Amino acid sequence: MIGLGSYLDTDNSGASDASFTSTLPAYDGTVAPPVGPGGTKYYDDNDWVGIELVRMYKLNHDPAALEDAKQIMAFEIAGWQSDPTLGCAGGLPFSNAAENTDRNTVTTAPAAELALQLYELTAATEYLQFAEMAYEWVRACLLLPSGLYADHVSPTGQIQGSVWSYNQGTMIGAGAMLYQVTQNSGYLAEARETAEAALGYFTPERLGSEIPFFASVYFRNLMYLDSITHDPPGPHLAQSYVDYAWQHLRLSNNLFVAGSPASAQLLVQAAIVQIYALLSSPPSTYF
């Protein structure tokens, strides 16, 4: 929490007018003033932080962690793009930079997951309503005929159709969590459909071409669904993935490499460690 606090920016102070669309408290992509330059807040980064803060709260019941997660959720809700002139109005942009107007699966679906975590803890209906709205927007605007989710939609409504594993994962997880909260079997059916499409598309080669962080998000959500339905082979696939990484992507100093050219970034180490942790933890602790 101490290190994370260095990134907390309460108002984007010092930024020029109109630099950012939201100045609500959230975490910058770089160390915030006065220690660092601060700057842009990324909606997906704040989603990931919020999800982990809720998990931390469940472990140690630190009220500060829960309040920080609620603060992030307020930032996410305020970022909703309701301008009716947008193509497929709604969704969350990649960041609060004023020039960023694309809306993404990777920002909107994990925001739904965070909202559902908070709803389970607080019973505040605004969180459930936001989660349902965010989930349905992604399905309406970014679901491809293949049954997979595209990356983002432009202000004019043009779909950028790149398919990444973590986008499928977060929509699988959001559907599974909505089912658990509402008992609406339609959400579970949609999550299973997405999982089936993803399992058909993401061969080991395709997963191996992505950075491990994407795969870690995908496996977390696939294994979470598996804990409910017992049909997607999430744990088996995750184990195969880290077995391959251990044999072929590990250096003599036990660091893992990925990318082209291959490098041993901290994000790569954290992602591989997270997958091992998922395999050794009950899925009920994933969110």
Side-chain angles (χ1 to χ4, degrees):
M1 290 286 285
I2 295 173
L4 181 62
S6 299
Y7 291 82
L8 180 62
D9 190 345
T10 58
D11 58 7
N12 283 122
S13 59
S16 58
D17 290 344
S19 295
F20 301 104
T21 57
S22 172
T23 56
L24 287 178
Y27 293 91
D28 284 350
T30 56
V31 174
V35 178
T40 304
K41 297 180 173 78
Y42 295 92
Y43 284 96
D44 64 326
D45 287 353
N46 278 276
D47 287 333
W48 310 130
V49 171
I51 287 169
E52 294 307 316
L53 285 169
V54 174
R55 294 180 68 234
M56 182 184 297
Y57 173 76
K58 290 178 178 178
L59 284 172
N60 61 18
H61 303 291
D62 179 3
L66 181 58
E67 288 307 310
D68 286 351
K70 290 179 179 178
Q71 183 172 268
I72 288 172
M73 194 70 246
F75 171 74
E76 301 288 334
I77 292 172
W80 189 259
Q81 301 293 289
S82 56
D83 182 352
T85 65
L86 289 171
C88 215
L92 290 172
F94 196 56
S95 76
N96 72 333
E99 68 271 14
N100 189 277
T101 49
D102 294 332
R103 282 110 344 108
N104 304 68
T105 300
V106 74
T107 52
T108 311
E113 293 185 311
L114 174 57
L116 289 165
Q117 286 178 296
L118 290 171
Y119 174 71
E120 289 187 298
L121 288 173
T122 68
T125 56
E126 65 176 306
Y127 294 139
L128 176 57
Q129 291 168 351
F130 180 85
E132 291 177 319
M133 177 178 68
Y135 175 83
E136 294 299 345
W137 179 84
V138 178
R139 284 191 60 81
C141 296
L142 291 167
L143 182 59
L144 299 170
S146 63
L148 299 170
Y149 291 94
D151 189 69
H152 64 264
V153 58
S154 76
T156 61
Q158 182 176 356
I159 301 297
Q160 202 292 323
S162 296
V163 173
W164 302 107
S165 62
Y166 67 169
N167 285 332
Q168 320 317 311
T170 52
M171 282 299 284
I172 289 168
M177 294 170 74
L178 277 166
Y179 163 71
Q180 289 184 305
V181 166
T182 67
Q183 291 301 295
N184 181 339
S185 61
Y187 289 129
L188 186 61
E190 290 164 357
R192 295 176 82 165
E193 288 168 3
T194 303
E196 183 178 356
L199 289 165
Y201 180 82
F202 285 102
T203 61
E205 291 76 20
R206 281 198 171 109
L207 279 177
S209 69
E210 297 184 347
I211 63 172
F213 170 68
F214 288 17
S216 70
V217 174
Y218 174 61
F219 288 133
R220 176 195 289 235
N221 288 277
L222 195 63
M223 291 161 67
Y224 188 78
L225 175 64
D226 179 63
S227 71
I228 301 169
T229 64
H230 308 294
D231 54 9
H236 172 73
L237 292 175
Q239 186 67 61
S240 297
Y241 182 90
V242 290
D243 286 348
Y244 177 85
W246 186 265
Q247 293 295 327
H248 301 284
L249 304 179
R250 183 171 57 98
L251 302 176
S252 59
N253 60 4
N254 288 324
L255 291 178
F256 292 89
V257 295
S260 181
S263 61
Q265 297 180 6
L266 176 60
L267 185 62
V268 173
Q269 317 313 309
I272 297 294
V273 169
Q274 183 177 109
I275 298 171
Y276 276 113
L278 292 170
L279 286 164
S280 61
S281 307
S284 60
T285 66
Y286 290 1
F287 293 100

